[in-house]
Amino acid sequence: MDLNATIIGQSISFILFILFCMKFIWPKIMNTIATREQEIIQSLSNIKKSKKDLELLQKKKNNIIYQTQQEAHSIIKQANYTKLVILEEAKLQAEKEKKKILLQMNNEITIQKEQAKHELINQISFLAIQIAEKIIKSSANEKNNIHLINQLIKKL
């Protein structure tokens, strides 16, 4: 195999090309790769930090939810207690009102009873007077008088 000028020229141009690439292109590529590597490392670090922050936020969220639930239970217990107090007060007030109404009704019943007694007394007096008048008018016959008294007693 002969070494001719073409092979030597190509070899020299290839070596020059390699030197040029090593001098000007290779450092830029390595710099870009190093920069990208640093960005990736920084991103991974940020992701780890974000995961830790997310875990902390999850714990805080769970804690806040738990506290809110406790407060809600406390509010519900307080509302139930207040409801019981209000119901008890309403029951006591209803009992007082019931006693008041019963007393009024008893008084009304007593008044009506007294009025009925007086009315009955008046009617009995009126009937007694009528009986007495009829007896006096028809005093001639004793059987008649007894019969008349029995009839009036039945009316009463």
Side-chain angles (χ1 to χ4, degrees), residues 63-80:
N63 191 17
I64 289 171
I65 289 173
Y66 178 76
Q67 288 176 352
T68 305
Q69 287 174 342
Q70 293 302 319
E71 288 176 15
H73 288 300
S74 174
I75 290 170
I76 290 171
K77 284 181 184 179
Q78 183 65 32
N80 285 335

Side-chain angles (χ1 to χ4, degrees), residues 124-137:
I124 290 174
S125 300
F126 179 73
L127 288 176
I129 291 173
Q130 284 182 344
I131 291 173
E133 286 177 357
K134 287 185 179 182
I135 289 176
I136 293 174
K137 286 183 183 177

Side-chain angles (χ1 to χ4, degrees), residues 111 113-124:
I111 290 171
K113 183 179 170 184
E114 290 298 319
Q115 287 176 347
K117 277 185 185 179
H118 287 296
E119 191 175 316
L120 282 176
I121 289 173
N122 288 339
Q123 288 178 359
I124 290 174

